[in-house]
Structure formats: C-alpha cells, structure tokens
Amino acid sequence: MTAQTHPPSAVLDAVLERLTYVNEETGYTVARVSTDRGGDLLTVVGALLGAQPGESLRLSGRWSSHPQYGRQFEVHSYTTVLPATIQGIRRYLGSGLVKGIGPVFAERIVAHFGLDTLRVVEDEPARLVEVPGLGPKRTAKITAAWQEQKAIKEVMVFLQGVGVSTSLAVRIFKRYGDASVTVVRTEPYRLAADVWGIGFRTADTIAQAVGIPHDSPQRVKAGLQYTLSEATDDGHCYLPDSELVADATKILDVTGDLVTACLDELVAEEGVVRESLPGPDGGRTTAVYLVPFHRAEQSLAGSLLRLLRERADRLPHFTGVDWGRALAWLRARTGIDLAPEQEQAVRLALTSRVAVLTGGPGCGKSFTVRSVVELAAAKKAKVTLVAPTGRAAKRLAELTGHPAATVHRLLQLRPGGEAGHDRDNPLDVDLLVVDEASMLDLVLANKLVKAVPPGAHLLLVGDVDQLPSVGAGEVLRDLLAAPVIPRVRLTQIFRQAAESGVVSNAHRINAGRPPLLQGLGDFFLFASDDTEATAALTVDVACARVPARFGLDPRRDIQVLTPMHRGPAGAAALNTLLQQRLTPAREGQPERRLGGRVFRVGDKVTQIRNNYDKGQAGVFNGTVGVVTALSPDDQTLTVRTDEDESIDYDFDELDELAHAYAVTIHRSQGSEYPAVVIPLTTSAWMMLQRNLLYTAVTRARKLVVLVGSRRALAAAVRTVGAGRRHTALDHRLT
C-alpha cells in the first residue's frame, strides 16, 4: 500500500488584486493575486483573515489542483510585506489602506518620490507637502493614519496567530491601544464584553490559542454570562437556574457540577443576581439575571408605582372637568365624535398618572391620542410625544399635528448609554405620550420612565398583539398583565378602516383565520412553492410589478419584509438580489466591499447596533437611511438617515450597517410603509407564527403583497407565537 503524498510546502510572493469570495464567519477567502512575473492572475484560497486588495503578501502553503477551478494556491498562513516596485507602491498606497490617500494622491506621491516613497512616509512624513495638492492638514492626517496602521499591523501579527480577523483586530486596537496584546493574552474573555463584534465563541477560540484551560473558572464564568447574554438577545430578562446550568454545560462542554460551583462564585462576586420568584405553575423558580437587567426591572417597576401613587398632579384641570363640555369642544374642533371606549381612554389618560391604550389597526388609537393631545394643549399643558424609531416619531407628528421625537433623542442618551434626563434631571413635561410601546424593551423603558417628573401623566400606546421588542422584556404585555396599571383596549373597527383589505385581513390573521385573497384591491398573493423561485418573484414584484401597477417608488415606498435573515428568501440573499436590480455596479462609481457585501451610493441601509458616539445624539439600532457619498480617499461613507441627519462611517465601521432593501419583520417594528412585500416559504417553518405575520401586515399603509406558499401562509396563521419570555415586571408591579 503506497503512502499518500501531499504537494510540498511553497512560498508565494504576490499582490492581492481582488477578493472573489469571503465567508465572514470562518474567514475562508477566495482571491486573485498578481506576481512580479506578470501573466494571468492566480487564484489563492484559505483563511486570508481580512487582507486588503493592494497589499503585498508573502503566502505560505501549497499548490493544488481543483477539478472545477484548476490550479490554485492553498494558503496556510501569510504576512504582509511592503512592496518594492513603483507599481506595487502606487497600488498599495492607493488601495485605501492609509486614510487620506486614494488612487489620485497615491499617483502624485509616487510620481514625486519614486521608489523612495515608503521610506519618506515612514521617516520624513513632513516632506509630503512637497507633493502638489498635499497641504499640511492632509499631510498630518496621512502621517497619523500611517502610524496607526503600523501599530495595528504589529498587533495584527500576534492576533493573526490566534485567529483574529483584521476588522476585529482594528477594533481591539482602538479599544486597548498598546495594551492589546496583553489583554488578549491574559484576559481574552474581556473582549466579549468590551469589543462589539466579538462574542464569547470568538473570545473562547482566542483563549484556547493562548493556552487558557478548557475547565478554567475564568472560562466557565464567562460562559455563564454569555449564556445569559444570549438569552437576553432572545428577549428573556433572566433564566431559571436549572435552564442556565443545562445550557451553559452544553455550550462549554464541561460538567454540570463545575458550572454550578462557578455560578455560586459568580453570584458571590456580584457578576450575576440570583432571586426567588413566583413560577408559572404557582410554585417558585430561582431566576438568574445579568446585573443590568435585574436593576432595570426593579427600577422600572419602582418608577411606575411611584408615578401611580404620586399626589401631585401636573394636569389638575381634568380632575373636576365638565366632560360633556370638554368633549363637545373637542367634537367642534375635530368634526368627529369619539366612540365610547375612545372617550373612556381620553378620560383615563388625562386623569390617571399612568395609563395604557392598546388595540389593533383601524380601532382609532391615533385619533384617541390626537384627542388627548388637543385637550391637554388647550389647557396649556406641556405635551411631549415620543416613539422608539425615527419613522414612528415622524408618523406620530403627522397624525397629531404636534412635534414628536425618538426616545433616544428625548432622553439625550450619551456614550455608554447614560441619559441626559433621569430621576435627578427629569423632563419638563406634563403629559408624555409614548407610541409603538410594544417596541419598548426593558432597558429603554426604564430609562424613559425614570425621567418622567412626579405628577406628570404617562400614556403608553401600542398594539400588544404585535411582536414583542427586539431587546429583552415584554414591557407592554407585562403592564397589561398587572392589575394595578389602568388601561383601555379599543376593539371597535371603524367603517372606513373595515373597508380596507389590509386592516380586515390583519384582524382575521390575529383571530387565527386565513386572510381573504380574492376581490381586494390592496391585498394579494403571488403563489410559488419553490423557495428560490419565491425569492426571484419577490424581487420582481417589489422592483417592477407593484411600481408599474400602483405608481410607487421601489426604494422609497416599497419594503420587503421577510421572516428570516438567512436562507434563499431571507433578508441577506434578498438584499443582494434587490441591490442588483435597484443599485447595480456602474463604471467609474466608487464602491466598498466588506466580506460578501458591497456598499454603493444610493443603497438603502440600516444601523444594527446602538452607537452613542455618532451624530448629534447617537445613532440607534434600526435607524434607516440612504448612502449619499462614498470616498475611497478618506475611507468614509455617508448615510442620510430617516431623521434627516448625515452620518459619516469609517470603512472599518461598515459592519455596523446592513442593507435594508429587505429587512426581517422583527426589524420593521415601529415602521410603516406605503406597501410591503412579504415572502413566505416553508424553509422559514420555525419562524412562521401568527404575531410575526400580523406584525408584517400591519406595517403596510396601503398595500400588502404576499409571495410564496399557501401552505406556509396557513402555518403562519395557525401557529400561535412562542411561549412567554422570562420576565418578572408584572410580578414586581403586583
């Protein structure tokens, strides 16, 4: 039997010309490179860990032959080397690696200094002013960028050895600077808490590489906190201790006894909070919280109870008001009679310190809110309207004729998430109305309610049958479950709304009945059973058929809403297809590639994390905008948000943005669009739930088009949503 022979190891010096494919999770890359021998570009494959086009690389690996793609070089490791030819230096400097130098300035600098260019940039950067068009300001910027790039490269050499991609290495360096290597080597689990984009699994891989034992208490405690953090991402405020230990044991692959012992230590160190709570079956459950969520839940309950019990009243006119006269004045002003339950809601909002108004589409929530605001304003009350998203705030302002802000802007949230308004510096407000309250997660609701001054009135308005908040908690549902909180539920559908197929079908879906699909001018189904065919049909409907039939703009007026992020009809794949149709590549137009995605001017994008350092008052998860500029020289991309603010992003911050031609239904909460197109496929089976479909349908103002399988639609209508989240706000309010 002959031994299998492997091709011998080899070294290849080459310039990275372009990235053909990048798997952002594993770092596996297919790229094309050129060598100084000229000729055709060569294919290299392997973990290139974020190497950028224009860099000169020394690749270690071996040659192989692929049955489909032919000869290629398999990379095992690489280092970057400074280029030695005029062409290489020009390409290197113009690649966008050094901020302030794009292709034009690279050409001028190399034309002036020739082969001496990189030595001048390194040792005598002040001489860059000799180059035509390079003033002192840009020279200083280039010098700083070069030094930072050099420092990052040194850290990169170490981080590359422990499997960290370039983009994460840049973040680690920005967070820790010269201490980066020390932190990574001795406290790798800190990265998961401190550096956005690094979760426990990445930190765990690094920890293994630097030799931290599998059963180290440091690892197990970090794993417990990670398990709780994952649970909060799923909406839970806590986990029962038995569930936490079981999940952590599975994730960490260690014994349950070790996990239990480390949990006890973590509680003693106040890294988590353990508390006995009433269980769902009438017994007790031992809940384990991450500290911020325990504090927020206790604080929110305390703030609400304080407001309810407060004797002072900032709307005193309404305690003894003649409601007959007040409502007659309102009718004369608006020309509309309030229904009895709307009248009840108006009275409640103006006489109770805390009130909740809920109900489905077409039941008059908006007109009720407008009526409350009209009456309060007539008594010269200070009224403030807020909503969780920019779009929802805009819509609230249009409906009431009164200015509205986002919660984040109202509270003046600062870097680190601290609020400018809190208990010590409350808002100057007599009546605070919060729309789309189903979107309020525990942490944001706590910050908001804490800032309401004693005696002010708080009215929370929302549809409790929609999806709960993206963040942890079920605030609106918990408030409605607590008898102490006054509430009104609007149930009467008004005639004009009942004539809308969108409204009537939303109520049918919410009641577990299939939507009507015949004879309606605003609700349609394009049937398709194959998932990939559904994706293609969704794109055609959104880009061609709906615009042609209804005169709507495919980018501004039509939103594709999908149950899932992954899969052929998920948001990621649909964004690629929609971008190809709506914002294709154009000769001479700059674009920026990040992994498998590419950004172009005109792209519709959304922010996917809270960033308190951007813009006038931070940019928040869910903010939508359009890319208006992209500069390869300055390595920045500019987004005009739906709050009419222009925000600059450095190229190394682009993983904070996702394309938004298609978004998941969860991400669409609080937004409203003229038309929505909803792909429904059996491949999204786990996500097909009634409140998900109901939320998607209620995002549409004028038109809903379902695309996909009748079987998937039936499953979504039939399936009641997942069980309750682990929260205890209702218990704390009782």
Side-chain angles (χ1 to χ4, degrees), residues 142-165:
I142 292 169
T143 305
W146 179 266
Q147 291 306 324
E148 184 185 41
Q149 187 65 29
K150 211 173 83 173
I152 290 171
K153 286 281 181 207
E154 287 164 10
V155 173
M156 273 296 302
V157 171
F158 169 73
L159 294 177
Q160 193 184 310
V162 293
V164 180
S165 73

Side-chain angles (χ1 to χ4, degrees), residues 71-82:
R71 191 165 184 255
Q72 57 189 29
F73 191 79
E74 293 178 17
V75 180
H76 296 161
S77 65
Y78 81 91
T79 54
T80 55
V81 291
L82 292 176

Side-chain angles (χ1 to χ4, degrees), residues 277-555:
L277 295 171
D281 52 1
R284 306 292 292 177
T285 187
T286 302
V288 185
Y289 286 82
L290 288 171
V291 174
F293 294 92
H294 186 259
R295 280 191 191 138
E297 199 172 74
Q298 283 190 319
S299 169
L300 176 56
S303 298
L304 286 164
L305 292 172
R306 251 192 308 279
L307 286 175
L308 276 169
R309 293 167 185 160
E310 178 61 48
R311 289 196 173 177
D313 190 353
R314 293 181 67 144
L315 293 179
H317 315 283
F318 294 99
T319 42
V321 77
D322 179 337
W323 282 104
R325 283 184 63 191
L327 295 171
W329 175 86
L330 186 67
R331 189 183 313 117
R333 188 165 172 84
T334 62
I336 300 172
D337 268 320
L338 287 171
E341 54 189 19
Q342 289 180 304
E343 191 180 309
Q344 185 195 349
V346 169
R347 289 185 183 212
L348 187 70
L350 294 170
T351 56
S352 175
R353 308 296 185 280
V354 179
V356 174
L357 173 63
T358 189
C363 292
K365 289 197 302 297
S366 298
F367 184 69
T368 306
V369 169
R370 184 181 153 198
S371 301
V372 170
V373 170
E374 292 274 2
L375 284 167
K379 294 295 185 186
K380 303 288 188 285
K382 292 172 182 168
V383 179
T384 298
L385 306 184
V386 290
T389 66
R391 279 178 179 241
K394 249 184 193 169
R395 191 176 78 244
L396 185 58
E398 286 162 9
L399 292 169
T400 60
H402 196 91
T406 63
V407 177
H408 297 94
R409 286 190 187 281
L410 177 74
L411 294 178
Q412 297 171 11
L413 290 184
R414 299 168 180 156
E418 291 305 308
H421 288 288
D422 55 17
R423 193 164 291 137
D424 298 327
N425 180 31
L427 297 160
D428 183 17
V429 61
D430 301 325
L431 169 66
L432 178 64
V433 180
V434 186
D435 198 16
E436 294 287 355
S438 62
M439 287 185 70
L440 280 183
D441 62 48
L442 174 67
V443 173
L444 190 58
N446 175 46
K447 288 183 197 301
L448 180 61
V449 176
K450 222 190 303 190
V452 179
H457 289 226
L458 171 66
L459 174 62
L460 296 153
V461 185
D463 183 347
V464 75
D465 294 320
Q466 286 185 22
L467 287 168
S469 56
V470 174
E474 273 187 299
V475 173
L476 187 61
R477 193 177 295 266
D478 280 347
L479 295 184
L480 290 167
V484 69
I485 304 288
R487 83 289 308 276
V488 172
R489 181 165 197 150
L490 303 179
T491 54
Q492 180 188 337
I493 305 172
F494 289 93
R495 189 178 57 78
Q496 193 179 352
E499 290 167 3
S500 150
V502 174
V503 171
S504 57
N505 273 339
H507 284 277
R508 288 180 69 89
I509 290 163
N510 199 32
R513 291 151 58 208
L516 300 174
L517 300 169
Q518 301 294 324
L520 296 173
D522 61 354
F523 202 105
F524 303 92
L525 168 71
F526 284 84
S528 165
D529 288 329
D530 176 76
T531 302
E532 293 194 0
T534 296
L537 183 54
T538 298
V539 172
D540 194 48
V541 166
C543 297
R545 298 189 196 198
V546 169
R549 168 95 180 263
F550 295 94
L552 296 173
D553 181 284
R555 208 177 318 213

Side-chain angles (χ1 to χ4, degrees), residues 156-206:
M156 273 296 302
V157 171
F158 169 73
L159 294 177
Q160 193 184 310
V162 293
V164 180
S165 73
T166 302
S167 59
L168 290 183
V170 169
R171 281 225 188 94
I172 292 170
F173 182 80
K174 280 188 173 173
R175 178 72 179 77
Y176 303 117
D178 294 338
S180 299
V181 173
T182 309
V183 172
V184 171
R185 195 173 268 138
T186 58
E187 301 175 88
Y189 293 104
R190 255 181 79 184
L191 302 176
D194 292 353
V195 183
W196 185 75
I198 295 187
F200 171 79
R201 293 189 187 282
T202 305
D204 201 31
T205 305
I206 294 167

Side-chain angles (χ1 to χ4, degrees), residues 44-66:
V44 300
V45 298
L48 284 174
L49 293 166
Q52 296 291 334
E55 287 191 295
S56 295
L57 307 176
R58 177 155 291 157
L59 308 164
S60 299
R62 49 172 55 95
W63 289 100
S64 66
S65 184
H66 189 279

